[in-house]
Amino acid sequence: MTEILCVVGARPNFMKIAPIMAAFAAKPISAKLVHTGQHYDPAMSDSFFEQLGIPRPDVNLEVGSASHAVQTADIMRAFEPVLDAEQPRAVLVVGDVNSTIACALVAAKKGIKVIHVEAGLRSYDRGMPEEFNRVLTDQIADLLYTTERSALPNLLREGIAEARVQFVGNVMIDTLRAHLERAVPAERTLGAKPARGHAVVTLHRPSNVDDPAILRRLLETLATIARELDVVFPIHPRTRAAAERHGLAALLEAPGVRLLPPQGYLEMLGLMRDATLVLTDSGGLQEETTALGVPCITLRENTERPITLSEGSNTLTGPDPEKILPCFREILASGGKRGRIPEYWDGHAAERIAAHLRGWLDSV
Ligand code: UD1
């Protein structure tokens, strides 16, 4: 019998599920893996399974890309018969992508317990599609595993009982620690070590790439930064499409900007580890740079991961060049924030989940 049906869908889910599947196998907790197919390009999906040793999904729903409504609905429709066939004791979802809420909602309405890993993070920005996914998933989850202590007060404010919440630490950092030694050095990915040093950039949030004026200013800012050090930019497919749509593709070719296709986990880890700084609008990179002690400029007005600001190496600037460039210069001059490692970001979060969950399954 399958005790836990685990769900992944999009790139940031894969590094979270890897240590969980391994910890479940060790406990043992019997688990199966469903991939919704939200991300499907080999570079956005398969390469992570290979590099991180994630078991092949037992089921792939192959939903692909669509509007939020259609994608979420397609996942729900495809997931329901899988749940009916498997009849697990609980469904485990991670993170905040559309696959997370879609599968949680199907399970909850069938009376199947829902477990949410990375619960309680809040940007308090309803312009972000993920914020709806976070709030709604937490409301219907029976068991909520959190990565940082700020998550609990967020959940309590929303009326969630403390007994449902368990602080376990950060499973994504389990993966980082387990793979750091195997990270591909930046000079190998780039062909040679950039003499000036390099910045790693990622950009894909709708708030940054969908508005042509904002995207133009951001790309111009990267071109300014590229005068001082190499800007290594593994570009997300939605960002490339937006730049082309808005007639901004030429800015991606600015001198010193090195455009790369989406990178594998080990390549990305090496690029970040060896960087002078990272500029990003990703949630995961804010945490990974904190774990690596590499300065991070977050191109957003807010973060749902405040510990990366208070303890880590992260600084928020939003997309405004007048905030980004002084912060960049400060990092070049002083080396920037190095921060310290947050509590329970120690490589053992998934083991804590498995140990707690074994007890919970035996008691419910
Ligand atoms: C999704 C998540 C976001 C996460 C991001 C990481 C939601 C709401 N958003 O955003 O939280 O930070 O993943 O990448 O779930 N595409 C491809 N190949 C793929 C997948 C997507 O080319 O394998 C392109 C398609 O043009 C697609 C677009 O990327 O329309 C957006 O994909 P989607 O899954 O809708 O959202 P992301 O922007 O990737």
Side-chain angles (χ1 to χ4, degrees):
M1 192 201 63
T2 308
E3 293 183 289
I4 309 287
L5 201 56
C6 298
V7 175
V8 289
R11 183 168 61 180
N13 294 161
F14 305 137
M15 34 294 227
K16 294 170 193 165
I17 212 67
I20 294 174
M21 296 302 287
F24 284 1
K27 196 69 206 155
I29 291 171
S30 83
K32 282 193 177 173
L33 184 60
V34 175
H35 189 335
T36 65
Q38 177 175 345
H39 285 175
Y40 43 85
D41 282 343
M44 301 284 284
S45 177
D46 299 358
S47 92
F48 293 85
F49 282 77
E50 287 153 22
Q51 291 190 342
L52 302 180
I54 305 169
R56 264 175 70 89
D58 297 278
V59 182
N60 192 322
L61 307 179
E62 296 183 349
V63 295
S65 303
S67 70
H68 282 266
V70 170
Q71 186 177 62
T72 308
D74 283 350
I75 296 167
M76 292 179 70
R77 289 177 72 129
F79 187 57
E80 181 169 44
V82 176
L83 258 192
D84 288 342
E86 293 293 341
Q87 296 284 327
R89 293 187 60 196
V91 167
L92 181 145
V93 294
V94 297
D96 57 12
V97 302
N98 287 344
S99 302
T100 308
I101 178 62
C103 294
L105 188 52
V106 174
K109 288 201 172 176
K110 286 186 170 289
I112 295 174
K113 303 268 187 235
V114 173
I115 302 162
H116 186 203
V117 174
E118 200 188 85
L121 297 181
R122 297 289 181 270
S123 65
Y124 294 100
D125 175 0
R126 296 264 167 131
M128 237 183 142
E130 293 81 359
E131 185 73 355
F132 296 102
N133 298 342
R134 295 180 193 120
V135 170
L136 298 175
T137 304
D138 287 341
Q139 274 299 324
I140 58 179
D142 297 278
L143 189 50
L144 298 91
Y145 289 119
T146 61
T147 54
E148 58 173 275
R149 290 199 184 271
S150 72
L152 179 61
N154 292 338
L155 293 168
L156 295 178
R157 264 195 296 278
E158 292 170 13
I160 290 165
E162 186 163 357
R164 283 157 59 194
V165 183
Q166 197 69 26
F167 173 50
V168 290
N170 195 324
V171 289
M172 206 181 55
I173 304 306
D174 292 2
T175 295
L176 183 145
R177 296 208 179 290
H179 292 83
L180 196 51
E181 275 184 15
R182 291 202 295 126
V184 177
E187 58 182 287
R188 201 171 338 140
T189 303
L190 299 174
K193 200 176 166 66
R196 315 182 294 170
H198 72 275
V200 174
V201 175
T202 79
L203 206 57
H204 74 286
R205 295 252 161 249
S207 60
N208 280 335
V209 307
D210 288 356
D211 179 325
I214 294 178
L215 182 60
R216 169 184 290 280
R217 275 196 319 166
L218 279 168
L219 296 180
E220 286 170 353
T221 306
L222 297 183
T224 304
I225 289 174
R227 290 192 211 129
E228 296 182 54
L229 79 188
D230 286 20
V231 168
V232 177
F233 187 3
I235 191 164
H236 189 289
R238 90 186 318 278
T239 307
R240 186 187 282 280
E244 284 165 7
R245 193 167 63 245
H246 301 322
L248 300 173
L251 278 173
L252 297 174
E253 314 278 314
V257 174
R258 304 176 60 159
L259 224 52
L260 302 179
Q263 294 295 296
Y265 182 79
L266 297 174
E267 288 78 8
M268 194 64 192
L269 191 54
L271 285 173
M272 287 193 285
R273 181 196 58 194
D274 300 340
T276 306
L277 80 156
V278 171
L279 297 107
T280 189
D281 59 8
S282 148
L285 266 66
Q286 294 174 55
E287 295 184 339
E288 288 166 340
T289 47
T290 278
L292 292 168
V294 171
C296 180
I297 296 179
T298 293
L299 307 167
R300 289 174 42 193
E301 304 289 0
N302 48 58
T303 179
E304 60 288 339
R305 295 161 159 88
I307 204 162
T308 62
L309 300 174
S310 59
E311 295 189 17
S313 59
N314 191 19
T315 306
L316 283 184
T317 62
D320 182 355
E322 282 169 22
K323 295 206 179 117
I324 299 168
L325 290 172
C327 187
F328 165 67
R329 300 231 156 79
E330 164 67 22
I331 290 170
L332 282 194
S334 73
K337 277 166 88 171
R338 296 280 159 188
R340 59 185 150 104
I341 306 294
E343 184 182 5
Y344 277 4
W345 290 25
D346 58 357
H348 300 290
E351 289 161 29
R352 282 190 282 273
I353 289 175
H356 178 269
L357 190 55
R358 186 65 273 160
W360 187 79
L361 284 167
D362 294 341
S363 71
V364 291

